[in-house]
Amino acid sequence: MILGITGTPGTGKTSVCTALGLEYLDLNRVIADRGFYTGVDTERGCLIADLTRLKEYVRKADRELLVIEGHLAHFMSPDVAIVLRADPSVLTDRLTQKGFTPQKIKENVEAEVLDIILAEAVELCDVVYEVDTSGKRIEEVAALVRAIINAEVEGDKAAKYALRKQYKPGSVDWTSVADTLLEFARSERDGRD
């Protein structure tokens, strides 16, 4: 079984995977270390992933449970995708602390508000969970992710049903905080004038 932990940068993917205590495949590291990229996006300061080669690499992994982590994990056709989400104001703070540029913060916050990764995951994956990480400790989110993994791997129908219902796609909605995004965009625009 391949289980993908995905989400907008800053939603807690790496921190949660580390807290799980399971071996996992960091897709960003694989892209960089194995040369699975077609170029460099100098404007965004990132590698342009070769999704075909990356997917072939992931599919060749011979493990009973393969946990993959990264904002591209849902493109690897995992059996189960867990999309981590974060309130846009929380996400803005996290990305600022990580040293992201204002443009990159704006781009990622917009993607979060518009549910971009969630929509892609729903389109590409058969089973999708949506988990809000806002205001939760890493250990709390990791315990929830562990419960999802256990239910999916062990085939516990009752647990799967309950978890899939509680964390179904569309259960997180940031439209009420869209004003925060617009305010950030206005301040960016006004700062350039």
Side-chain angles (χ1 to χ4, degrees):
M1 170 183 283
I2 299 176
L3 187 131
I5 298 179
T6 189
T8 304
T11 54
K13 298 175 300 295
T14 303
S15 297
V16 167
C17 283
T18 301
L20 279 173
L22 294 175
E23 185 178 338
Y24 68 94
L25 193 61
D26 176 339
L27 294 181
N28 289 331
R29 180 164 291 161
V30 171
I31 290 166
D33 292 352
R34 299 219 173 241
F36 293 160
Y37 56 93
T38 59
V40 178
D41 183 336
T42 54
E43 187 176 313
R44 290 185 176 85
C46 63
L47 299 173
I48 301 168
D50 183 336
L51 294 177
T52 302
R53 289 177 54 212
L54 182 61
K55 190 172 183 177
E56 287 171 4
Y57 178 80
V58 167
R59 290 281 161 200
K60 287 180 182 175
D62 187 26
R63 297 187 196 158
E64 190 173 320
L65 172 65
L66 175 62
V67 177
I68 57 175
E69 176 271 321
H71 71 283
L72 300 174
H74 56 288
F75 286 110
M76 302 298 105
S77 301
D79 300 295
V80 176
I82 300 173
V83 181
L84 300 185
R85 306 293 306 276
D87 179 286
S89 60
V90 171
L91 189 61
T92 299
D93 290 344
R94 289 177 183 173
L95 295 177
T96 300
Q97 288 174 7
K98 287 180 171 223
F100 279 44
T101 65
Q103 177 59 33
K104 208 166 176 182
I105 292 169
K106 179 179 179 277
E107 185 177 291
N108 282 294
V109 170
E110 285 176 350
E112 181 66 12
V113 170
L114 296 173
D115 301 335
I116 299 296
I117 289 182
L118 177 68
E120 291 170 345
V122 167
E123 183 179 322
L124 298 169
C125 307
D126 291 332
V127 178
V128 179
Y129 290 86
E130 182 180 24
V131 176
D132 182 3
T133 65
S134 311
K136 294 182 177 82
R137 293 182 347 271
I138 295 298
E139 296 79 17
E140 185 181 351
V141 178
L144 171 58
V145 169
R146 173 66 85 164
I148 291 170
I149 292 171
N150 290 344
E152 290 293 336
V153 170
E154 294 168 9
D156 181 340
K157 288 182 181 181
K160 275 199 293 192
Y161 176 79
L163 288 165
R164 286 181 183 184
K165 184 176 179 183
Q166 185 173 358
Y167 298 100
K168 69 180 180 215
S171 59
V172 176
D173 181 8
W174 301 133
T175 54
S176 65
V177 295
D179 288 338
T180 302
L181 177 63
L182 293 173
E183 187 177 313
F184 182 78
R186 273 190 228 104
S187 70
E188 282 298 301
R189 183 196 65 223
D190 294 345
R192 281 187 249 144
D193 291 342

